[in-house]
Amino acid sequence: MKFEINKVATYKGHKDSVYQLAEGITEGRFLSAAGDGYLVEWASPEVGVPVARVNHPIYAFEHRKEQQRIWLGENSEGLHLIDTERKKVEASLKLGKVSVFSIVSAGNKTLAGNSLGYIHVIDNEQNAFIRHLEVSAKSVRAIAVNESAGELAAGCSDHCIRIYDLDTLELKKTIEAHTNSVFTLAYHDRYLVSAGRDAHIHIHDSALAYLPVASVPAHNYAINHILPLKGTSLLASCSMDKSIKIWDIETLQLLKVIDKGKFASHGTSVNRLWWNENTRRLYSGSDDRTVSEWTLF
């Protein structure tokens, strides 16, 4: 595959590390959240509009676009439900002095993983907790859902990935593929892709009891996020080593490296990626407080 990597734009305005990116409230825009406590919607590099402001860093949020709602995790203050039309807090759920690292919606539930090793299950109609699932003695850093298979994967700081039944939340399997914290998970068709502090990417076949399919030492330092690029056969990863890498998602063959030297990429840890399938552009958020926009082809 021929690549034409180009940096389209840099979005500046956050006063701390950017931790999360997602589709915007308005078509053609995107959302970013950072350690400065701001959730911002970007119309252009020059125009960023705050959607919410909290007093502590935001490590995770989940945008339920059709419901015009965002579940936002505020470090040490729990969860807030934001009405995106009115830009108003609709509900708040206290969790004590914990950090929320991952929030994912599945059907009528929202799942939030925290630094004490729990997944908190929220009823999206009542906007209330219905269960607190103890997953690990250490942090739950990543959650991924395969709704078609009815399964939930949780990546933890005890180096394990745990697979649960999505409806009953019964533990089905524990995967011990990594040698350090699992920071990021993603389902792609029948495969579960995982990565983390050990800088390796693993692919597991969910249709064959999560047997290992492929594994590569992918980065020099911890991998913060992996993202299958919808509409392509590609996987993107980003790391504390300041690089973004593009892989063949089935073979884990490295296809391209986006770094500061060749492409004027980020000069510090790259924390998060977002892929706009419609425009086929990749976005990256970093400890350097900026978001970069990229064309790949």
Side-chain angles (χ1 to χ4, degrees), residues 55-264:
N55 295 321
H56 300 88
I58 303 168
Y59 296 147
F61 68 88
E62 171 73 355
H63 183 197
R64 295 160 48 209
K65 189 170 184 177
E66 292 183 359
Q67 288 76 37
Q68 297 182 308
R69 299 291 186 273
I70 293 173
W71 276 111
L72 178 154
E74 180 183 358
N75 189 17
S76 298
E77 290 293 336
L79 298 158
H80 306 292
L81 182 63
I82 310 298
D83 181 322
T84 59
E85 185 177 23
R86 296 183 297 167
K87 295 184 179 178
K88 182 180 178 181
V89 176
E90 186 173 305
S92 291
L93 302 177
K94 296 294 185 181
L95 286 174
K97 299 297 182 181
V98 299
S99 298
V100 177
F101 291 125
S102 183
I103 307 175
V104 175
S105 287
N108 63 352
K109 295 182 291 190
T110 293
L111 309 154
N114 78 11
S115 57
L116 294 182
Y118 283 82
I119 292 178
H120 305 281
V121 185
I122 302 165
D123 183 306
N124 285 337
E125 294 182 359
Q126 300 297 322
N127 297 329
F129 291 127
I130 55 176
R131 186 165 176 184
H132 303 282
L133 178 67
E134 187 174 5
V135 175
S136 169
K138 295 186 177 181
S139 302
V140 175
R141 298 300 301 258
I143 300 172
V145 169
N146 184 347
E147 292 198 58
S148 62
E151 291 184 332
L152 155 71
C156 305
S157 289
D158 64 3
H159 314 175
C160 292
I161 302 166
R162 293 177 174 85
I163 308 300
Y164 291 87
D165 183 283
L166 185 56
D167 292 325
T168 66
L169 296 178
E170 292 183 6
L171 180 64
K172 297 176 69 173
K173 187 176 182 65
T174 298
I175 304 169
E176 299 179 0
H178 292 274
T179 60
N180 214 315
S181 297
V182 182
F183 284 167
T184 177
L185 297 168
Y187 278 102
H188 172 73
D189 296 332
R190 62 189 282 176
Y191 301 111
L192 175 67
V193 188
S194 64
R197 191 181 292 276
D198 65 8
H200 283 63
I201 297 176
H202 294 274
I203 296 182
H204 322 265
D205 191 335
S206 66
L208 294 175
Y210 290 89
L211 287 174
V213 175
S215 176
V216 294
H219 284 267
N220 294 327
Y221 299 108
I223 299 169
N224 293 318
H225 192 213
I226 47 174
L227 182 68
L229 305 186
K230 290 184 179 180
T232 77
S233 59
L234 304 175
L235 174 76
S237 63
C238 63
S239 169
M240 285 182 66
D241 68 11
K242 310 173 189 178
S243 73
I244 302 164
K245 294 187 177 183
I246 309 299
W247 310 83
D248 182 291
I249 199 167
E250 293 186 358
T251 66
L252 287 184
Q253 177 187 357
L254 180 60
L255 302 175
K256 204 69 181 178
V257 179
I258 303 172
D259 57 19
K260 187 174 179 63
K262 290 184 178 179
F263 298 104

Side-chain angles (χ1 to χ4, degrees), residues 3-8 218-219 229 234-247 254-270 273-275 280-284 292-297:
F3 288 91
E4 293 287 343
I5 307 291
N6 287 293
K7 189 175 185 180
V8 177
H219 284 267
L229 305 186
L234 304 175
L235 174 76
S237 63
C238 63
S239 169
M240 285 182 66
D241 68 11
K242 310 173 189 178
S243 73
I244 302 164
K245 294 187 177 183
I246 309 299
W247 310 83
L254 180 60
L255 302 175
K256 204 69 181 178
V257 179
I258 303 172
D259 57 19
K260 187 174 179 63
K262 290 184 178 179
F263 298 104
S265 185
H266 302 284
T268 56
S269 175
V270 188
L273 302 168
W274 177 64
W275 172 247
R280 293 170 71 85
R281 292 190 175 183
L282 182 67
Y283 296 76
S284 56
S292 294
E293 179 181 354
W294 307 91
T295 56
L296 303 182
F297 315 108

